[in-house]
Amino acid sequence: MFCLVKCSKKKVLLSVTALLCCGGILAAIQQTKAVSGSVYEELYPDMYVNTGNEFSPEEGKVVYYTFDDGPSKNTIAILDTLKEKGVKATFFVTGQEVSGVDSDAILKRIVDEGHSIGMHTYSHVYQEIYSSVENYLADFQKIREKIIRVTGVEPKIFRFPGGSVKNSFASPSVQKAIRIEMRRRGYIYYDWNLVSGDDKSYMTDTDTLIRNIVNGAKGKDKVVILCHDDSMRVSTAEAVGPVIDQLTAQGYRFEKLTESIEPVQFQNNDET
């Protein structure tokens, strides 16, 4: 401050310019670090898993029934049907609390009854979680910690909200960086190859869902069905029994996803 008072206007301008330049250089350095991953790679040092390098062989016709966005009362109905049919499924869960539902009890039931549980998102607010790698990791860590605390299980699989590519709320570069970082930490993500049609802003009727799934499975030996079990999806729960019956009659068996199952993933440019 004393120097600025004593200096000429020219020197003051030069000093200010120098400070601004230094500030710009520092900002550029910080930005480069963020892009290179040297900053976010240091976050959450316990958020690593060992998933191995080999997948188990899959034989015959197999269906992986997967549900996103729960838990809710519809998750309970789905679990009831799965138990009745003797079928295992996969639940990619959120941290959202639903009024009148004991979310922790449902998460524990998923695991206790032998189903797979994986991370989906804690908040499910796309604009926040996809704004940066750091924000995605923060959200991921919250749902991971909740699953571990409630169930005692360290989940190793997850599903990106909206899928792993071409998300309208994420820039391609940010989403690519997230995929690469999650892969580096050992986690495996699973997309899908059959959309049930229950992802609308309204509830799709039960018969339409059954038809979409049964017809969509034709010609596929490996089917990963995308369904949702949030509080709106009553028809999704109603469709589970008929879908199991009809696909079983067509020679399919039902399995759950684990880190030993080779994932269905949308095409990306991560290698370039």
Side-chain angles (χ1 to χ4, degrees):
M1 191 70 169
F2 176 78
C3 176
L4 290 177
V5 173
K6 286 291 189 180
C7 289
S8 67
K9 286 185 177 180
K10 184 175 181 180
K11 289 182 177 178
V12 169
L13 289 172
L14 288 172
S15 299
V16 172
T17 301
L19 286 170
L20 289 173
C21 287
C22 288
I25 292 171
L26 288 172
I29 292 172
Q30 291 173 346
Q31 186 178 18
T32 301
K33 284 184 177 180
V35 172
S36 67
S38 60
V39 174
Y40 57 70
E41 286 181 1
E42 298 172 2
L43 298 172
Y44 315 109
D46 65 329
M47 199 168 78
Y48 288 82
V49 291
N50 181 10
T51 47
N53 300 314
E54 295 184 359
F55 298 113
S56 300
E58 299 169 81
E59 298 178 357
K61 298 167 66 176
V62 59
V63 173
Y64 298 96
Y65 223 146
T66 72
F67 302 91
D68 295 3
D69 298 355
S72 75
K73 61 182 180 181
N74 292 317
T75 313
I76 297 173
I78 290 167
L79 288 169
D80 289 344
T81 301
L82 293 173
K83 186 174 183 179
E84 176 189 338
K85 299 291 184 181
V87 165
K88 304 305 179 188
T90 305
F91 295 84
F92 294 105
V93 301
T94 73
Q96 299 177 94
E97 296 293 337
V98 180
S99 177
V101 173
D102 187 342
S103 297
D104 287 2
I106 298 174
L107 296 183
K108 193 170 186 306
R109 182 180 172 187
I110 289 171
V111 171
D112 288 348
E113 294 188 357
H115 305 287
S116 283
I117 193 167
M119 284 76 60
H120 190 44
T121 169
Y122 190 89
S123 67
H124 212 263
V125 180
Y126 286 31
Q127 297 94 323
E128 293 180 7
I129 63 175
Y130 286 132
S131 61
S132 67
V133 180
E134 290 84 354
N135 281 355
Y136 183 84
L137 293 176
D139 184 276
F140 190 93
Q141 175 71 338
K142 286 184 70 176
I143 187 59
R144 170 183 172 268
E145 287 181 333
K146 179 172 183 175
I147 293 172
I148 294 172
R149 173 178 57 80
V150 173
T151 70
V153 169
E154 169 78 81
K156 298 180 179 181
I157 65 175
F158 73 103
R159 173 171 284 160
F160 286 108
S164 63
V165 297
K166 295 183 179 179
N167 191 296
S168 59
F169 292 96
S171 72
S173 60
V174 169
Q175 201 165 18
K176 177 178 180 177
I178 294 171
R179 288 194 303 269
I180 291 172
E181 177 61 11
M182 296 311 295
R183 195 178 296 121
R184 187 186 70 83
R185 290 173 180 262
Y187 293 95
I188 301 176
Y189 67 86
Y190 291 79
D191 288 313
W192 54 87
N193 62 2
L194 196 162
V195 177
S196 68
D198 71 348
D199 55 342
K200 315 298 182 187
S201 59
Y202 54 87
M203 188 178 73
T204 307
D205 70 89
T206 306
D207 288 341
T208 297
L209 292 180
I210 296 169
R211 185 167 56 252
N212 288 347
I213 294 172
V214 173
N215 290 341
K218 291 178 180 178
K220 295 183 176 74
D221 286 335
K222 178 175 180 176
V223 181
V224 181
I225 308 171
L226 172 66
C227 289
H228 299 81
D229 59 328
D230 58 83
S231 56
M232 182 192 296
R233 315 300 163 184
V234 176
S235 59
T236 297
E238 294 173 345
V240 171
V243 165
I244 291 173
D245 291 342
Q246 292 187 39
L247 290 183
T248 299
Q250 294 180 20
Y252 286 96
R253 72 181 190 281
F254 286 79
E255 302 286 352
K256 62 183 181 179
L257 293 173
T258 70
E259 66 273 15
S260 66
I261 302 299
E262 185 174 5
V264 169
Q265 296 181 345
F266 300 148
Q267 186 174 0
N268 59 58
N269 64 346
D270 291 354
E271 302 302 321
T272 61

